[in-house]
Protein backbone atom coordinates (compact mmCIF):
# COMPACT_ATOMS: atom_id res chain seq x y z
CA UNK A 1 0.00 0.00 0.00
CA UNK A 2 1.23 3.49 -0.73
CA UNK A 3 1.22 4.67 2.87
CA UNK A 4 3.51 1.84 3.86
CA UNK A 5 5.97 2.71 1.12
CA UNK A 6 6.45 6.29 2.40
CA UNK A 7 6.85 5.63 6.11
CA UNK A 8 10.20 6.33 7.72
CA UNK A 9 11.53 6.55 11.25
CA UNK A 10 12.00 10.20 12.23
CA UNK A 11 12.96 12.00 15.42
CA UNK A 12 10.07 14.14 16.67
CA UNK A 13 9.20 15.83 19.95
CA UNK A 14 6.99 13.74 22.22
CA UNK A 15 3.39 14.83 22.39
CA UNK A 16 -0.13 13.61 22.95
CA UNK A 17 -1.94 15.05 19.92
CA UNK A 18 -2.43 14.04 16.30
CA UNK A 19 -0.77 15.78 13.37
CA UNK A 20 -1.09 15.56 9.64
CA UNK A 21 2.31 14.51 8.40
CA UNK A 22 4.30 13.39 5.43
CA UNK A 23 8.04 12.93 4.95
CA UNK A 24 8.23 16.09 2.82
CA UNK A 25 6.74 18.16 5.63
CA UNK A 26 9.51 17.40 8.14
CA UNK A 27 12.04 20.23 8.58
CA UNK A 28 15.50 19.48 7.20
CA UNK A 29 17.09 19.91 10.64
CA UNK A 30 14.59 17.68 12.50
CA UNK A 31 17.27 15.04 13.16
CA UNK A 32 19.37 17.58 15.08
CA UNK A 33 16.91 17.73 18.00
CA UNK A 34 18.56 16.68 21.28
CA UNK A 35 18.11 13.00 21.88
CA UNK A 36 16.93 13.60 25.45
CA UNK A 37 13.98 15.65 24.20
CA UNK A 38 12.93 13.49 21.27
CA UNK A 39 11.79 9.99 20.49
CA UNK A 40 11.35 7.87 17.37
CA UNK A 41 7.92 7.88 15.76
CA UNK A 42 6.49 6.51 12.54
CA UNK A 43 5.12 9.10 10.15
CA UNK A 44 2.06 7.92 8.24
CA UNK A 45 0.64 9.27 4.99
CA UNK A 46 -2.84 9.63 6.51
CA UNK A 47 -2.56 10.62 10.20
CA UNK A 48 0.21 10.36 12.74
CA UNK A 49 -0.44 10.03 16.46
CA UNK A 50 2.25 11.05 18.96
CA UNK A 51 2.42 9.72 22.48
CA UNK A 52 -0.44 7.55 23.78
CA UNK A 53 -4.19 7.86 24.18
CA UNK A 54 -6.06 6.40 27.13
CA UNK A 55 -9.31 6.72 29.04
CA UNK A 56 -10.03 10.35 29.89
CA UNK A 57 -8.41 11.78 26.75
CA UNK A 58 -10.44 13.84 24.31
CA UNK A 59 -10.09 15.69 21.04
CA UNK A 60 -9.51 15.03 17.37
CA UNK A 61 -6.83 12.41 17.95
CA UNK A 62 -9.36 10.36 19.92
CA UNK A 63 -12.03 10.84 17.24
CA UNK A 64 -9.68 9.57 14.56
CA UNK A 65 -8.83 6.54 16.71
CA UNK A 66 -12.54 5.83 17.24
CA UNK A 67 -13.10 5.73 13.48
CA UNK A 68 -10.49 2.99 13.15
CA UNK A 69 -11.79 0.87 16.04
CA UNK A 70 -15.46 1.44 15.16
CA UNK A 71 -15.73 -2.21 14.14
CA UNK A 72 -14.94 -3.42 17.66
CA UNK A 73 -17.80 -2.07 19.83
CA UNK A 74 -18.92 -5.45 21.16
CA UNK A 75 -21.92 -7.55 20.15
CA UNK A 76 -24.99 -5.46 19.32
CA UNK A 77 -23.31 -2.15 20.08
CA UNK A 78 -22.18 0.90 18.13
CA UNK A 79 -19.23 3.07 19.15
CA UNK A 80 -19.87 6.81 19.30
CA UNK A 81 -17.43 8.82 17.19
CA UNK A 82 -17.39 11.77 19.58
CA UNK A 83 -13.76 12.39 20.47
CA UNK A 84 -14.26 11.28 24.09
CA UNK A 85 -12.13 8.35 25.28
CA UNK A 86 -14.52 6.71 27.71
CA UNK A 87 -15.07 3.10 28.80
CA UNK A 88 -16.66 2.09 25.47
CA UNK A 89 -13.68 3.39 23.50
CA UNK A 90 -11.26 1.64 25.87
CA UNK A 91 -13.15 -1.64 25.37
CA UNK A 92 -13.12 -1.17 21.58
CA UNK A 93 -9.37 -0.55 21.65
CA UNK A 94 -8.92 -3.69 23.74
CA UNK A 95 -10.90 -5.75 21.23
CA UNK A 96 -8.87 -4.31 18.36
CA UNK A 97 -5.65 -5.12 20.19
CA UNK A 98 -6.79 -8.68 20.93
CA UNK A 99 -7.83 -9.20 17.32
CA UNK A 100 -4.30 -8.44 16.17
CA UNK A 101 -2.38 -10.18 18.93
CA UNK A 102 -1.35 -7.05 20.80
CA UNK A 103 -1.32 -6.51 24.55
CA UNK A 104 -4.97 -5.68 25.27
CA UNK A 105 -4.57 -2.91 27.84
CA UNK A 106 -6.97 -0.44 26.19
CA UNK A 107 -4.21 2.15 25.86
CA UNK A 108 -3.49 3.23 22.29
CA UNK A 109 0.27 3.49 22.04
CA UNK A 110 2.99 2.81 19.46
CA UNK A 111 2.09 -0.84 18.76
CA UNK A 112 -1.59 -0.04 18.32
CA UNK A 113 -0.87 2.90 16.04
CA UNK A 114 1.67 0.92 14.01
CA UNK A 115 -1.00 -1.72 13.37
CA UNK A 116 -3.45 0.99 12.28
CA UNK A 117 -0.81 2.48 9.97
CA UNK A 118 -0.27 -0.95 8.42
CA UNK A 119 -4.01 -1.32 7.84
CA UNK A 120 -4.71 2.05 6.20
CA UNK A 121 -3.89 3.82 2.97
CA UNK A 122 -2.91 7.45 2.49
CA UNK A 123 -6.56 8.51 2.03
CA UNK A 124 -7.35 6.98 5.45
CA UNK A 125 -9.42 4.13 4.04
CA UNK A 126 -8.68 0.65 5.36
CA UNK A 127 -6.44 -1.49 3.18
CA UNK A 128 -9.19 -3.68 1.75
CA UNK A 129 -11.91 -1.12 0.95
CA UNK A 130 -12.11 2.04 -1.14
CA UNK A 131 -14.31 5.09 -1.51
CA UNK A 132 -15.15 3.96 -5.05
CA UNK A 133 -16.69 0.75 -3.72
CA UNK A 134 -18.88 2.72 -1.35
CA UNK A 135 -20.21 5.12 -3.99
CA UNK A 136 -21.67 3.94 -7.28
CA UNK A 137 -23.90 7.01 -7.51
CA UNK A 138 -21.74 10.05 -8.21
CA UNK A 139 -18.18 11.24 -7.74
CA UNK A 140 -18.76 14.03 -5.22
CA UNK A 141 -21.05 12.42 -2.60
CA UNK A 142 -23.68 15.10 -3.10
CA UNK A 143 -27.46 14.94 -3.19
CA UNK A 144 -28.08 12.74 -0.17
CA UNK A 145 -29.84 13.46 3.10
CA UNK A 146 -26.67 14.96 4.58
CA UNK A 147 -23.85 17.09 3.23
CA UNK A 148 -21.37 15.50 0.85
CA UNK A 149 -18.64 15.75 3.50
CA UNK A 150 -20.79 13.99 6.09
CA UNK A 151 -21.83 11.23 3.69
CA UNK A 152 -18.18 10.59 2.82
CA UNK A 153 -17.18 10.62 6.50
CA UNK A 154 -19.95 8.14 7.34
CA UNK A 155 -18.77 5.88 4.52
CA UNK A 156 -15.27 5.91 5.99
CA UNK A 157 -16.59 4.62 9.32
CA UNK A 158 -18.56 1.96 7.44
CA UNK A 159 -15.38 0.81 5.71
CA UNK A 160 -13.51 0.44 8.99
CA UNK A 161 -16.39 -1.62 10.37
CA UNK A 162 -16.18 -3.84 7.29
CA UNK A 163 -12.42 -4.15 7.74
CA UNK A 164 -12.95 -5.44 11.28
CA UNK A 165 -15.61 -7.84 10.08
CA UNK A 166 -13.36 -9.07 7.27
CA UNK A 167 -10.56 -9.79 9.72
CA UNK A 168 -12.90 -11.64 12.09
CA UNK A 169 -14.07 -13.80 9.18
CA UNK A 170 -10.58 -14.99 8.31
CA UNK A 171 -9.50 -12.06 6.13
CA UNK A 172 -11.45 -13.39 3.16
CA UNK A 173 -12.47 -10.67 0.68
CA UNK A 174 -15.87 -9.06 1.24
CA UNK A 175 -17.69 -7.99 -1.90
CA UNK A 176 -19.28 -4.53 -1.73
CA UNK A 177 -21.92 -3.95 -4.41
CA UNK A 178 -22.81 -0.42 -3.41
CA UNK A 179 -23.04 2.14 -0.67
CA UNK A 180 -23.91 5.85 -0.76
CA UNK A 181 -26.89 6.98 -2.86
CA UNK A 182 -28.17 10.45 -3.56
CA UNK A 183 -31.92 10.90 -3.23
CA UNK A 184 -32.28 10.52 -6.99
CA UNK A 185 -30.06 7.42 -7.13
CA UNK A 186 -32.02 5.88 -4.27
CA UNK A 187 -35.30 6.57 -6.03
CA UNK A 188 -34.00 5.09 -9.29
CA UNK A 189 -33.23 1.74 -7.64
CA UNK A 190 -36.44 1.66 -5.61
CA UNK A 191 -34.75 2.24 -2.26
CA UNK A 192 -36.72 2.91 0.89
CA UNK A 193 -37.68 6.54 1.48
CA UNK A 194 -35.62 6.59 4.69
CA UNK A 195 -32.76 4.44 3.37
CA UNK A 196 -29.51 4.79 5.28
CA UNK A 197 -27.74 4.64 1.92
CA UNK A 198 -28.61 8.33 1.53
CA UNK A 199 -26.58 9.13 4.67
CA UNK A 200 -23.47 7.20 3.65
CA UNK A 201 -23.97 4.72 6.49
CA UNK A 202 -24.84 1.65 4.41
CA UNK A 203 -23.26 -1.00 2.23
CA UNK A 204 -24.80 -3.85 0.25
CA UNK A 205 -22.68 -6.99 0.28
CA UNK A 206 -22.41 -9.80 -2.23
CA UNK A 207 -22.31 -13.41 -1.09
CA UNK A 208 -18.59 -13.84 -1.76
CA UNK A 209 -17.09 -17.01 -0.30
CA UNK A 210 -18.81 -16.45 3.05
CA UNK A 211 -22.47 -16.47 1.97
CA UNK A 212 -25.18 -13.95 2.78
CA UNK A 213 -26.16 -15.47 6.12
CA UNK A 214 -22.63 -15.65 7.49
CA UNK A 215 -22.15 -11.99 6.60
CA UNK A 216 -25.43 -10.98 8.23
CA UNK A 217 -24.68 -12.88 11.43
CA UNK A 218 -21.10 -11.60 11.68
CA UNK A 219 -22.22 -7.99 11.18
CA UNK A 220 -23.92 -8.08 14.60
CA UNK A 221 -20.50 -7.89 16.26
CA UNK A 222 -19.05 -5.01 14.27
CA UNK A 223 -21.11 -1.92 14.93
CA UNK A 224 -23.90 -2.30 12.37
CA UNK A 225 -27.25 -1.20 13.74
CA UNK A 226 -29.19 -2.18 10.61
CA UNK A 227 -28.71 -5.64 9.09
CA UNK A 228 -31.06 -6.99 6.45
CA UNK A 229 -30.53 -10.30 4.71
CA UNK A 230 -32.17 -13.41 3.23
CA UNK A 231 -35.82 -13.72 4.15
CA UNK A 232 -36.34 -9.99 4.51
CA UNK A 233 -38.28 -8.59 1.53
CA UNK A 234 -35.97 -7.64 -1.32
CA UNK A 235 -32.83 -8.94 0.35
CA UNK A 236 -32.48 -12.53 -0.79
CA UNK A 237 -29.71 -11.50 -3.21
CA UNK A 238 -27.57 -9.41 -0.86
CA UNK A 239 -26.85 -8.56 2.75
CA UNK A 240 -27.41 -4.95 3.74
CA UNK A 241 -25.45 -3.47 6.64
CA UNK A 242 -25.59 0.06 8.01
CA UNK A 243 -24.82 2.25 11.00
CA UNK A 244 -26.95 5.09 12.31
CA UNK A 245 -29.57 5.54 14.98
CA UNK A 246 -31.80 2.76 16.27
CA UNK A 247 -31.42 -0.93 15.62
CA UNK A 248 -33.20 -3.19 13.17
CA UNK A 249 -31.88 -6.62 12.26
CA UNK A 250 -33.85 -9.01 10.07
CA UNK A 251 -32.64 -12.00 8.09
CA UNK A 252 -35.29 -14.64 8.82
CA UNK A 253 -33.72 -17.26 6.56
CA UNK A 254 -30.57 -16.95 8.66
CA UNK A 255 -32.39 -17.28 11.98
CA UNK A 256 -32.08 -13.58 12.73
Amino acid sequence: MSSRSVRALLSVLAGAGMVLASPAAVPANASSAPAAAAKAAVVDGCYTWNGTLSEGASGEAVRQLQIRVAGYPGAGSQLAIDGQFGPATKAAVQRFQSAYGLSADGVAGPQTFEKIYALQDDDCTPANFTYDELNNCNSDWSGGKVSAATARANALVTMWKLQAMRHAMGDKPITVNGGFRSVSCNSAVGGAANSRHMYGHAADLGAGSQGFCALALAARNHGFTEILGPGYPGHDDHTHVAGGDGRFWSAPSCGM
Side-chain angles (χ1 to χ4, degrees):
M1 295 293 112
S2 56
S3 59
R4 276 163 269 182
S5 68
V6 299
R7 293 189 193 110
L9 285 174
L10 299 171
S11 201
V12 296
L13 291 177
M18 179 190 70
V19 295
L20 291 170
S22 67
V26 177
N29 64 350
S31 61
S32 65
K39 69 176 183 177
V42 175
V43 172
D44 183 73
C46 170
Y47 287 105
T48 299
W49 288 267
N50 294 324
T52 62
L53 293 172
S54 59
E55 193 168 1
S58 62
E60 181 63 12
V62 174
R63 193 182 74 85
Q64 291 294 336
L65 173 64
Q66 288 170 329
I67 291 170
R68 287 141 182 88
V69 299
Y72 294 92
S77 298
Q78 179 174 232
L79 182 66
I81 312 298
D82 59 5
Q84 301 297 318
F85 199 128
T89 297
K90 178 180 179 179
V93 171
Q94 288 176 307
R95 294 185 190 97
F96 174 89
Q97 292 168 330
S98 293
Y100 286 99
L102 306 177
S103 176
D105 58 4
V107 176
Q111 289 188 330
T112 300
F113 293 134
E114 285 171 15
K115 175 52 64 175
I116 291 173
Y117 298 150
L119 288 172
Q120 73 182 4
D121 290 332
D122 287 349
D123 64 355
C124 305
T125 59
N128 299 109
F129 299 92
T130 68
Y131 281 115
D132 286 345
E133 287 179 290
L134 270 289
N135 186 353
N136 295 333
C137 176
N138 58 45
S139 61
D140 61 9
W141 300 82
S142 65
K145 293 284 192 178
V146 292
S147 70
T150 297
R152 195 173 190 268
N154 289 342
L156 181 62
V157 176
T158 298
M159 283 186 270
W160 280 100
K161 291 178 180 181
L162 289 172
Q163 185 72 31
M165 183 170 146
R166 184 186 193 275
H167 184 60
M169 299 183 79
D171 284 311
K172 298 176 183 178
I174 289 179
T175 302
V176 179
N177 294 329
F180 169 73
R181 301 173 190 158
S182 67
V183 174
S184 59
C185 286
N186 188 64
S187 178
V189 298
N194 62 343
S195 173
R196 298 190 190 187
H197 285 282
M198 295 183 289
Y199 297 82
H201 284 306
D204 288 339
L205 310 180
S209 62
Q210 302 94 335
F212 296 131
C213 284
L215 291 166
L217 295 173
R220 298 175 299 178
N221 299 318
H222 297 289
F224 293 110
T225 57
E226 184 171 83
I227 307 169
L228 306 175
Y232 185 79
H235 289 74
D236 287 336
D237 61 351
H238 69 283
T239 292
H240 165 94
V241 295
D245 295 335
R247 191 174 89 179
F248 181 56
W249 296 346
S250 183
S253 298
C254 308
M256 186 175 77

